[in-house]
Amino acid sequence: GLGNQMFSEVQVFTEKRYNPFTYNGLEYKFFSYTAKGGIMRLEQNAEIVVTDLERTVVDCIDRIDLAGGIEELVTALNGITHLDEQVLLTYLKEYNKKFVYKKAGFLLSLLKKDLLSQNFFDICKQNCSIKLEDISENKKMPRSWYSYDRKVSKIVKIIFTRKVVSV
């Protein structure tokens, strides 16, 4: 996985509804999903179902809260050395959420611009929502991406100033 912290919670994305439970000190929580692509079955001691890298990236950008928060997501994205932009665009299209296009374009333009073409960012911009209240108060952020939330903008500004600018 992309995470670098230990958590006591296991998040399971499934088509069926289950009640959360605790087993061996781990809390299992279940979430539904709509996107179907990027799911792989691996044989270990038992069959394990996981998502590929690009699907995991889109899932984490969609639900930053379930990815460990913005700082954990930034750390994880910084560790990625290759992304298939066509696969990313396929999953973004499958999600069909303007907000996810905006977050993906914004975050990846700051952290992974060297891995993706300008065409990727143009497609994200064409498909993202643009609302007046989304405009960032932070003049250092690219005006073309507008902040997706004022509260998140302030958190992102602090983290990116600390993490990205110092890199």
Side-chain angles (χ1 to χ4, degrees):
L2 295 177
N4 66 359
Q5 293 184 28
M6 294 293 292
F7 293 96
S8 60
E9 180 180 286
V10 176
Q11 299 160 355
V12 180
F13 288 80
T14 178
E15 293 176 320
K16 298 178 184 177
R17 292 186 83 107
Y18 293 98
N19 290 325
F21 64 89
T22 302
Y23 178 75
N24 280 345
L26 294 174
E27 185 178 359
Y28 290 79
K29 290 187 176 181
F30 297 88
F31 301 89
S32 62
Y33 64 89
T34 55
K36 305 288 186 211
I39 299 171
M40 306 179 308
R41 298 185 183 294
L42 304 175
E43 282 294 326
Q44 300 291 328
N45 294 336
E47 184 179 66
I48 301 171
V49 180
V50 297
T51 55
D52 63 24
L53 176 62
E54 287 78 10
R55 168 69 188 268
T56 301
V57 167
V58 175
D59 286 346
C60 290
I61 289 172
D62 178 42
R63 293 292 308 267
I64 294 173
D65 59 322
L66 298 180
I70 188 71
E71 190 165 1
E72 181 71 14
L73 179 58
V74 167
T75 301
L77 290 174
N78 277 332
I80 295 174
T81 59
H82 174 78
L83 286 168
D84 184 324
E85 71 180 63
Q86 291 308 311
V87 175
L88 278 172
L89 289 169
T90 298
Y91 299 148
L92 286 168
K93 186 175 183 178
E94 209 174 306
Y95 264 76
N96 194 28
K97 293 181 182 178
K98 292 178 181 282
F99 192 50
V100 178
Y101 273 104
K102 183 182 285 189
K103 289 192 292 185
F106 175 70
L107 289 170
L108 295 173
S109 72
L110 290 174
L111 299 169
K112 294 294 153 187
K113 194 170 195 151
D114 57 325
L115 298 182
L116 302 165
S117 72
Q118 185 58 47
N119 183 56
F120 173 83
F121 298 109
D122 291 343
I123 291 171
C124 286
K125 286 178 187 179
Q126 291 166 6
N127 287 284
C128 75
S129 65
I130 298 176
K131 297 179 183 176
L132 186 58
E133 63 269 17
D134 284 347
I135 297 174
S136 172
E137 296 171 357
N138 178 1
K139 305 297 184 216
K140 294 180 183 176
M141 286 185 186
R143 291 185 58 80
S144 60
W145 280 113
Y146 303 121
S147 172
Y148 48 88
D149 179 282
R150 287 177 195 219
K151 185 188 242 182
V152 172
S153 171
K154 290 176 184 172
I155 295 168
V156 168
K157 181 179 6 176
I158 292 165
I159 291 170
F160 285 126
T161 302
R162 215 176 338 138
K163 295 252 183 207
V164 177
V165 175
S166 63
V167 169

